[in-house]
Amino acid sequence: MHLFYLIVSLLVILPDLYIRLVCLRGISLGWWNLLYWAPLAFFLFLVVMYFAGGSQPFVFKSMVASILCFTVPKLLFTIMSILCLGAVYAAGCFGAQETVRSALTGVFNAIGIGLAGSFLILALYGLTAGVKRLDVREEVFESDSLPASFDGYRIVHLSDLHASSYSAPGMVERLVTTVNDLDADMIAFTGDLVNSSPSELDERMMSALSSLRAHDGVFAVVGNHDYCEYHEYDTPDGAARAFAEVVRCERAMGWRVLMDSSAVITRPSVSAPDKKQDSIYVIGVEHCGKPPFGSRGDLQKALSGVPPVFFYSDADSVRSSSPFKILLSHDSSHWRMEVLPHTDIQLTLSGHTHAMQFRIGRFSPSRWMYREWYGVYREGARMLNVSAGLGGSFPFRIGAWPEIVVITLHTLSGQGN
């Protein structure tokens, strides 16, 4: 962790030093020097406040905003300037005239300024309008294990609300209205309801979230932030009590919180609606994933209430089919770690990554950390959906917009029990 802070500090300080000592060498800025060094001084002040235990949410968010609006643009310009020095030096080695070298300098500087300015505009948009967007992404999943009575079943997948980041007037109310207008059969919430404290679930927040409606209700699991361990307490059991309060609040809102457990949803069978019920299973685990947070859930325990196989007959034979199962697991890395190799779960819903709240096409820094980081992934007849989530620990979104995911289930033609 100390190495991380050292790297961040160097990335903040070195571009300022380079630009002032190399790019602006010999230029007298006078009183403009105060303006030039003000962003760096502000960031260093925030660092001191952070380690001194100041107002942590405000300090942390201000540090991120400072890095996005000042550090990254200066870093982009610095990289282009260093590339320019290399290009000019290479041109000189090949005997290029001064006019050519001056033209190269102009081109690289223009590109550097353009990149820096473009990122600054993106950062300002992401810090203001980007966090307030709300996109609806539609996906379809077909399975021969899905009973015909569930054909067309609609799941609304929500994740990573981080309540304190979604507390601006009207935001959570707009989310609830949008979800309810989708007329879902089921709402699945895959963790991180809060950032670090149950106090984020004030009366207004709970009133709005308790208004979420789906025919079969709201099912939820917990994420790493819901354990409330990113917080200081006066007693050793402070985090445990805060976690219990988060779960209590979810249940008070009418959500069904699955803690290494399962639930069954039934429909009258298409073939014999008066005599037979078809079923699908919703399974939820506590946080399971890779370090640093690690795994606390028990998937096999969660599966203990699910029949391993169904037997049913047609005109010619008795056939078997694995029941259709939907797993809610906060961390997408759990899918490849345990779900794929040790279960036959058909559909897994996850969040956690936020796609690092920055995505351009299929690129995001998140892909350096997670193999499955955003969107739909398929392995044979099985599917994982990773939501970019809704809120975050800091208020910034570009490309990885806050989203609601609607997954429509279909039975493969001629299949379904």
Side-chain angles (χ1 to χ4, degrees):
M1 186 59 70
H2 293 297
L3 178 61
F4 172 78
Y5 287 127
L6 175 61
I7 293 173
V8 170
S9 299
L10 289 174
L11 289 176
V12 171
I13 295 170
L14 291 180
D16 276 307
L17 292 174
Y18 175 85
I19 293 171
R20 183 65 187 96
L21 299 178
V22 177
C23 301
L24 300 177
R25 183 179 55 189
I27 300 176
S28 177
L29 296 179
W31 286 100
W32 288 102
N33 262 312
L34 294 176
L35 184 62
Y36 179 82
W37 293 110
L40 177 58
F42 178 63
F43 180 82
L44 294 176
F45 169 75
L46 291 172
V47 171
V48 172
M49 286 286 293
Y50 183 81
F51 285 104
S55 178
Q56 297 301 311
F58 169 77
V59 171
F60 177 73
K61 292 174 182 179
S62 298
M63 287 171 65
V64 172
S66 177
I67 289 173
L68 290 171
C69 292
F70 298 109
T71 300
V72 175
K74 289 177 181 178
L75 183 61
L76 291 172
F77 177 82
T78 297
I79 291 171
M80 292 308 302
S81 178
I82 292 172
L83 291 175
C84 171
L85 292 178
V88 169
Y89 176 79
C93 291
F94 285 98
Q97 296 181 354
E98 180 63 28
T99 54
V100 174
R101 286 179 285 170
S102 296
L104 279 174
T105 301
V107 169
F108 274 91
N109 284 342
I111 294 173
I113 293 171
L115 286 174
S118 297
F119 190 89
L120 175 59
I121 293 170
L122 282 176
L124 291 173
Y125 180 85
L127 289 164
T128 54
V131 294
K132 297 178 182 178
R133 286 185 55 155
L134 186 59
D135 287 5
V136 177
R137 172 163 61 92
E138 299 265 0
E139 303 291 352
V140 173
F141 180 51
E142 296 181 326
S143 173
D144 58 8
S145 299
L146 183 71
S149 56
F150 285 89
D151 188 66
Y153 195 82
R154 285 164 58 84
I155 302 168
V156 165
H157 178 197
L158 307 175
S159 195
D160 299 271
L161 183 72
H162 292 265
S164 63
S165 70
Y166 226 74
S167 59
M171 284 184 69
V172 71
E173 290 81 4
R174 181 164 63 100
L175 168 67
V176 170
T177 299
T178 304
V179 170
N180 288 345
D181 287 346
L182 292 170
D183 193 30
D185 291 294
M186 180 182 82
I187 296 172
F189 182 79
T190 51
D192 279 3
L193 179 61
V194 300
N195 260 327
S196 62
S197 171
S199 63
E200 299 167 40
L201 300 172
D202 57 21
E203 183 178 351
R204 170 180 156 265
M205 182 69 68
M206 288 188 62
S207 175
L209 293 176
S210 64
S211 300
L212 285 169
R213 294 289 179 264
H215 298 294
D216 293 317
V218 181
F219 296 85
V221 292
V222 295
N224 53 300
H225 280 263
D226 296 319
Y227 291 95
C228 300
E229 294 183 346
Y230 307 109
H231 200 81
E232 294 184 1
Y233 299 93
D234 297 329
T235 60
D237 65 342
R241 288 188 290 109
F243 171 59
E245 178 63 12
V246 170
V247 175
R248 187 200 67 78
C249 288
E250 290 186 271
R251 288 173 172 157
M253 294 187 302
W255 296 12
R256 186 162 183 177
V257 185
L258 300 174
M259 306 281 285
D260 296 339
S261 59
S262 64
V264 61
I265 298 174
T266 61
R267 291 282 188 276
S269 173
V270 171
S271 59
D274 297 329
K275 299 180 180 180
K276 183 182 175 185
Q277 293 280 320
D278 288 334
S279 305
I280 64 174
Y281 289 82
V282 184
I283 301 141
V285 292
E286 290 196 51
H287 186 275
C288 291
K290 64 182 186 178
F293 199 79
S295 295
R296 301 195 178 189
D298 187 336
L299 181 55
Q300 295 309 313
K301 177 183 175 183
L303 285 167
S304 62
V306 181
V309 70
F310 281 141
F311 292 94
Y312 58 98
S313 61
D314 56 23
D316 302 314
S317 63
V318 175
R319 296 186 294 165
S320 65
S321 174
S322 173
F324 188 83
K325 297 177 284 293
I326 303 166
L327 173 66
L328 313 187
S329 181
H330 179 65
D331 190 333
S332 59
S333 60
H334 185 217
W335 191 57
R336 199 162 293 278
M337 287 171 55
E338 185 178 15
V339 179
L340 285 179
H342 301 305
T343 77
D344 63 352
I345 292 170
Q346 294 91 342
L347 175 62
T348 301
L349 307 180
S350 297
H352 186 56
T353 70
H354 300 207
M356 291 290 283
Q357 297 175 210
F358 180 86
R359 179 176 69 91
I360 299 177
R362 289 302 296 175
F363 169 76
S364 166
S366 189
R367 70 184 307 147
W368 299 331
M369 302 172 62
Y370 295 92
R371 183 167 176 178
E372 288 82 26
W373 56 273
Y374 173 72
V376 165
Y377 299 85
R378 299 179 190 270
E379 288 282 344
R382 305 161 76 183
M383 187 177 101
L384 165 70
N385 180 69
V386 184
S387 170
L390 294 159
S393 299
F394 58 90
F396 172 79
R397 291 260 181 178
I398 285 293
W401 310 118
E403 70 173 6
I404 299 165
V405 186
V406 182
I407 302 173
T408 303
L409 306 181
H410 285 298
T411 304
L412 285 173
S413 180
Q415 303 293 327
N417 47 323

